[in-house]
Amino acid sequence: MIQIGLTGWGDHPDLYVSSAKERLQDYSSHFPVVELDAAFYAIQPIKNSLKWIKETPDNFQFVVKCYQGITGHLRGDFPFDSTEEMFELYRQSIMPFKEAGKLSMVLAQFPPWFQCNKESVQYIRKVREELKDFDVVIEFRHQSWYAPEYKASTLEFLKVNNFHHSVCDEPQVGDGSIPLVPVATSNKVLVRLHGRNTFGWVNPGNNVKWREVRYLYDYNKEELSSIKSVCQHLEKQAKDVIVLFNNNSGGHAANNAKTFQHMLGLDFVGLAPKQLDLFEGDF
């Protein structure tokens, strides 16, 4: 089964018919799954988790990002007394999603400097132990994990340790990007579509608005057709294929996702009742 969604629900104006406070409800009238990226920037209070659960349909699913302190992105002061406290608070934060049956998976996206070496492998094992009660998907950003001499071992490591695999479509720009590797290592696989903005992918070091343009990309139908083939290939390997469009910078993600849904001939059931076909005639 292929499910389609977006990374976050706050930056897709074409989807909204209500007030800003009801954006998640509006979003869930269009798509059955979303990536919760707020969890990356801060461990969310349990009250937020319960609120989002309440605002979505019974079968709605969340892909919850790991907090940045877990994946090694954190810059500045460490706001916890210990690593153990960080993991405990994060587990408490995401447990309501699991208990409600709305946790698709936890996304551990490691940074471009997280290279394939013994220390990194040991740390991923620690993450597996700390999050042993949760489905976890691993996304790498350093291409060493898929170098010819390590690729097979990387995929086998994910499989043996019961990790889902994140298959990425992104610009191929140096070591800080990974190739598209259409392999599932479990019964679920995540496909994250970051766009193909080659010139904006790497931070030049002096552009404070870099992140605003990094994901500036509009997939054309030929590119989406190629991605369709990838997803259908993955569907033969895994029970669930979760596809998330992350090309949000220019507001293209929602329309690309709708186009992709039509190309696959998918009708999502159990959506929120506000569904309005705002995209009629666009395809």
Side-chain angles (χ1 to χ4, degrees):
M1 178 174 64
I2 298 176
Q3 300 277 15
I4 300 171
L6 311 176
T7 56
W9 61 80
D11 299 317
H12 314 290
D14 289 341
L15 301 180
Y16 311 139
V17 296
S18 307
S19 67
K21 292 182 179 180
E22 296 180 298
R23 285 181 176 179
L24 179 55
Q25 294 98 311
D26 286 343
Y27 174 96
S28 63
S29 72
H30 292 276
F31 300 107
V33 62
V34 73
E35 180 180 303
L36 178 55
D37 54 358
F40 171 80
Y41 298 101
I43 295 178
Q44 297 298 306
I46 293 177
K47 66 178 183 179
N48 286 1
S49 302
L50 295 174
K51 175 179 180 291
W52 295 325
I53 290 167
K54 184 179 179 180
E55 291 176 347
T56 50
D58 291 343
N59 62 348
F60 191 83
Q61 296 289 295
F62 291 86
V63 175
V64 182
K65 287 193 79 170
C66 271
Y67 171 62
Q68 58 182 323
I70 293 175
T71 53
H73 289 85
L74 184 65
R75 303 292 180 91
D77 295 335
F78 186 73
F80 306 98
D81 291 336
S82 65
T83 299
E84 289 71 26
E85 180 190 32
M86 174 185 68
F87 274 106
E88 176 59 24
L89 291 174
Y90 182 75
R91 287 192 295 266
Q92 292 177 14
S93 175
I94 64 176
M95 183 58 76
F97 293 103
K98 181 179 180 180
E99 292 175 342
K102 292 189 174 186
L103 182 62
S104 174
M105 58 184 77
V106 174
L107 169 60
Q109 177 193 298
F110 290 100
W113 54 87
F114 189 77
Q115 300 185 35
C116 182
N117 55 44
K118 183 178 180 180
E119 291 73 21
S120 295
V121 169
Q122 289 175 339
Y123 184 72
I124 296 174
R125 292 185 188 277
K126 175 179 175 58
V127 171
R128 174 73 283 174
E129 177 61 26
E130 294 284 355
L131 301 177
K132 60 185 177 183
D133 295 327
F134 302 94
D135 280 355
V136 179
V137 57
I138 299 292
E139 179 170 325
F140 296 111
R141 279 286 173 88
H142 194 279
Q143 66 176 219
S144 59
W145 295 93
Y146 298 99
E149 64 269 32
Y150 294 126
K151 178 180 175 181
S153 297
T154 292
L155 296 170
E156 182 64 17
F157 172 76
L158 297 179
K159 182 177 181 179
V160 169
N161 288 277
N162 196 30
F163 285 116
H164 307 309
H165 184 215
S166 179
V167 177
C168 297
D169 183 76
E170 61 189 39
Q172 299 302 290
V173 185
D175 292 338
S177 58
I178 61 170
L180 193 154
V181 180
V183 176
T185 57
S186 63
N187 63 341
K188 292 182 182 180
V189 62
L190 180 64
V191 179
R192 292 182 85 227
L193 306 175
H194 299 300
R196 301 177 181 180
N197 185 356
T198 300
F199 296 103
W201 187 249
V202 178
N203 187 353
N206 57 358
N207 184 357
V208 295
K209 294 186 177 181
W210 164 67
R211 292 192 179 279
E212 296 180 14
V213 301
R214 188 181 198 195
Y215 302 106
L216 180 61
Y217 194 79
D218 187 9
Y219 284 99
N220 62 44
K221 289 190 175 181
E222 182 179 354
E223 291 167 336
L224 291 175
S225 180
S226 175
I227 294 168
K228 172 185 173 182
S229 298
V230 169
C231 292
Q232 290 174 329
H233 174 69
L234 289 169
E235 194 176 18
K236 297 176 182 178
Q237 304 175 45
K239 179 182 178 182
D240 295 312
V241 180
I242 312 300
V243 183
L244 298 175
F245 283 80
N246 191 35
N247 54 325
N248 295 328
S249 296
H252 299 113
N255 193 66
N256 282 175
K258 284 286 184 175
T259 300
F260 193 59
Q261 177 185 349
H262 280 254
M263 292 174 69
L264 285 164
L266 298 177
D267 289 317
F268 301 127
V269 298
L271 298 176
K274 289 184 178 180
Q275 175 68 42
L276 296 173
D277 194 359
L278 303 180
F279 297 86
E280 185 177 357
D282 288 353
F283 309 103

